Amino acid sequence: TSTKGKTSSHEFDIPTTLNSLILSRIDALEKDLRNLLQEATIIGEDFFLKILSLLQPKLGMNRHINESINKLEVENFIQQYLQDIDHYRFKHILTRDVSYNTILKANKKLLHKAVAEVIEENFEDSIDNFLHDLSIHYTESKQYNKAVIYLEKAGDQFNKVFDRLNALDCYNNILTIIDKNPALINKSNLESFKHRILLKTIYLNQLIGEFSHSLKLLKTIKTSDENILSNYFYLLGNYNQEIKKLDECL
């Protein structure tokens, strides 16, 4: 089971009083417990004990975390899933957010990269369960070469189960990364890659009825690649066909 894509690090506005209460509880923890809690927040809203354990040597730590995890559970920071003894979640999502926000940005970058490497190195046989998680960890650690690879795979995976909005979110994140950091992406065929993602985005926009937006995106494609052009005209044909159907209904 994956962490259900809940590794997002968006920082939400938490009421000041509530934030202070949660922060005081976190600050009251022993240093090792506080650090472990922060590491768990990096993994996501829920996390596997095995990943958190494997993260320790990756961070240069030589500690067994079972006792510490039990303490965090007794203190009501986390709770174990009844049907999965290796699987934990934060008892209150605001606790996770407050703890995550106490981590320095530079440390977040290092921790996200370390978590991604732990998953890649130890879960090769079940890597498909972690595609979205990996896309987030590599995006947050600014490892954009790997981020765009996993974002496309995660988007394709979402699309296969008809989760088109999450698929679109993945593809749009790729386009944002390419537009803002083109020099950081080591792809000799970057233009063709971008066009491929654009076509997937256009296709999904058509499926959810965003025809005007899909046509706008279609007009941004300029290429001599025959494969991309054939897909372009296929999608353009779909767009025109849908417009025709709408006209017939009016």
Side-chain angles (χ1 to χ4, degrees):
T1 309
S2 75
T3 51
K4 305 178 187 70
K6 296 180 180 177
T7 52
S8 178
S9 59
H10 297 305
E11 298 181 1
F12 299 101
D13 291 329
I14 301 171
T16 305
T17 304
L18 183 56
N19 184 87
S20 298
L21 287 171
I22 296 172
L23 191 57
S24 65
R25 290 195 66 225
I26 294 172
D27 287 341
L29 291 171
E30 299 171 10
K31 184 178 179 181
D32 277 354
L33 284 179
R34 191 164 60 247
N35 289 342
L36 189 65
L37 186 70
Q38 289 179 330
E39 291 159 15
T41 69
I42 290 289
I43 298 173
E45 293 175 16
D46 59 307
F47 60 93
F48 290 108
L49 186 61
K50 183 176 181 179
I51 293 177
L52 191 57
S53 296
L54 291 168
L55 182 62
Q56 304 312 304
K58 176 70 72 172
L59 298 175
M61 307 293 293
N62 182 24
R63 62 182 177 189
H64 298 289
I65 65 172
N66 290 57
E67 184 178 342
S68 297
I69 285 293
N70 290 336
K71 287 181 181 179
L72 289 174
E73 191 169 18
V74 169
E75 293 291 335
N76 287 317
F77 285 101
I78 60 175
Q79 63 182 165
Q80 190 178 41
Y81 279 90
L82 292 176
Q83 303 299 322
D84 192 348
I85 60 173
D86 186 49
H87 200 181
Y88 288 80
R89 70 180 180 89
F90 284 88
K91 195 161 187 180
H92 303 288
I93 188 58
L94 290 182
T95 300
R96 187 259 172 179
D97 292 340
V98 172
S99 181
Y100 183 89
N101 292 341
T102 63
I103 307 172
L104 295 174
K105 286 185 177 181
N107 289 343
K108 284 180 185 176
K109 182 178 175 181
L110 293 173
L111 286 168
H112 276 292
K113 183 174 183 288
V115 170
E117 290 174 349
V118 164
I119 294 172
E120 281 187 321
E121 292 165 5
N122 296 277
F123 297 88
E124 185 178 357
D125 292 339
S126 56
I127 201 74
D128 285 351
N129 293 330
F130 298 96
L131 296 178
H132 192 230
D133 301 294
L134 286 165
S135 74
I136 293 172
H137 290 308
Y138 277 126
T139 298
E140 293 299 325
S141 59
K142 302 189 187 304
Q143 304 292 306
Y144 295 125
N145 275 325
K146 288 198 169 185
V148 295
I149 291 171
Y150 284 114
L151 279 166
E152 183 177 17
K153 289 181 177 181
D156 293 347
Q157 189 178 67
F158 281 129
N159 192 32
K160 284 180 181 178
V161 295
F162 307 103
D163 189 348
R164 286 161 183 158
L165 293 180
N166 270 323
L168 266 174
D169 188 52
C170 289
Y171 299 146
N172 284 328
N173 284 340
I174 292 174
L175 295 174
T176 298
I177 288 173
I178 291 174
D179 288 342
K180 291 185 177 180
N181 311 278
L184 298 180
I185 301 173
N186 184 24
K187 278 187 173 290
S188 57
N189 58 340
L190 182 59
E191 184 179 355
S192 294
F193 174 66
K194 179 179 180 178
H195 287 151
R196 184 172 77 241
I197 301 303
L198 264 173
L199 289 169
K200 291 181 179 184
T201 305
I202 292 163
Y203 180 65
L204 286 178
N205 272 288
Q206 287 190 9
L207 289 178
I208 64 173
E210 295 290 342
F211 299 117
S212 296
H213 185 56
S214 65
L215 183 60
K216 181 180 179 181
L217 290 173
L218 271 172
K219 291 178 178 178
T220 67
I221 296 179
K222 296 178 181 178
T223 180
S224 58
D225 188 307
E226 291 185 3
N227 289 327
I228 290 177
L229 284 173
S230 65
N231 283 325
Y232 172 94
F233 288 116
Y234 171 76
L235 289 170
L236 186 59
N238 280 354
Y239 175 84
N240 290 332
Q241 186 63 29
E242 292 298 332
I243 293 299
K244 183 179 179 182
K245 287 180 182 177
L246 286 173
D247 287 340
E248 290 172 353
C249 293
L250 297 176

